[in-house]
Amino acid sequence: MSDIRIEPLAKHHLDDLLKVETLCFPTPWTRETFLYELESNKLAHYWVALLVEEVIGYAGMWYILDEGHITNIAVHPLHRREGVGSKLLHSLLLTAIASSLMDVTLEVRRSNQAAIALYERYGFQVEGVRKAYYADNGEDALIMWRHFDES
C-alpha cells in the first residue's frame, strides 16, 4: 500500500480509469461522462489511486453546499484487499473536512458487503434505503451517512 499514491484525476488518466470502471460496474460510465465530470461539473472532485503510473482505483465526490456526495469508489479487481479503497475513502474524507463539509453521503448496493464494511469502518451508518435504485437488476441501495462533529 505504501507504493500507492492518490492524486487528482487528470485527462491523461482516463484510459486506465475506464478499464477499472468497466471491470467494476455492470453499467459503466462513459468517457464522455468522465470528461463532463472533469471539465464541466464544478461540484465534482475526483481522485485516482496510482501504482507506478497505472490507475488501479478512483473515487469521486460532489460538493453540494456543506455536504459531500460520494459518486463512486472503484478498485481494479486485481488490487482489491490491498487497502486501495480504504486509502481512497480516507482521502475523500480528509478533503471533505478540509473543505468544511458537515456530512458525507453515498448509496451502496445492499449486497455489497465488502463496501458496506469499509464505509462502516470510517463511521458511515445506514440511514435509509432507495428501493429498486439500480437499473441493471432492481437492487435496493442503502443510503449511508458520515456526520462530522461540530466540536
Side-chain angles (χ1 to χ4, degrees):
M1 185 160 109
S2 61
D3 294 341
I4 297 165
R5 69 182 198 282
I6 306 296
E7 65 181 50
L9 172 64
K11 214 172 182 178
H12 69 271
H13 296 127
L14 285 180
D15 287 339
D16 282 349
L17 182 146
L18 287 166
K19 291 174 191 170
V20 172
E21 176 76 2
T22 301
L23 290 168
C24 292
F25 297 110
T27 52
W29 285 10
T30 63
R31 175 180 294 280
E32 292 72 28
T33 300
F34 281 106
L35 281 172
Y36 174 79
E37 291 291 284
L38 187 59
E39 297 176 343
S40 300
N41 185 353
K42 301 300 182 209
L43 304 175
H45 303 268
Y46 284 81
W47 294 264
V48 291
L50 299 169
L51 183 59
V52 186
E53 293 303 317
E54 179 186 2
V55 174
I56 60 168
Y58 79 93
M61 185 164 52
W62 294 344
Y63 294 7
I64 303 170
L65 300 175
D66 63 351
E67 295 178 354
H69 182 102
I70 295 176
T71 56
N72 339 51
I73 296 180
V75 176
H76 191 291
L78 295 177
H79 294 282
R80 291 184 182 155
R81 313 282 310 156
E82 297 176 2
V84 178
S86 182
K87 198 163 189 173
L88 284 163
L89 181 57
H90 185 76
S91 295
L92 289 179
L93 294 176
L94 286 177
T95 59
I97 291 167
S99 299
S100 300
L101 300 183
M102 298 300 297
D103 308 284
V104 176
T105 188
L106 57 86
E107 292 92 9
V108 60
R109 287 179 188 268
R110 186 184 291 273
S111 64
N112 193 344
Q113 292 303 309
I116 293 166
L118 172 66
Y119 301 141
E120 287 174 341
R121 280 196 309 274
Y122 279 86
F124 283 83
Q125 297 178 10
V126 175
E127 294 189 13
V129 176
R130 295 195 198 282
K131 294 287 187 189
Y133 181 75
Y134 292 98
D136 63 313
N137 66 358
E139 185 173 358
D140 294 346
L142 300 179
I143 305 166
M144 299 184 80
W145 284 88
R146 168 68 159 84
H147 303 288
F148 300 112
D149 291 334
E150 295 183 38
S151 53

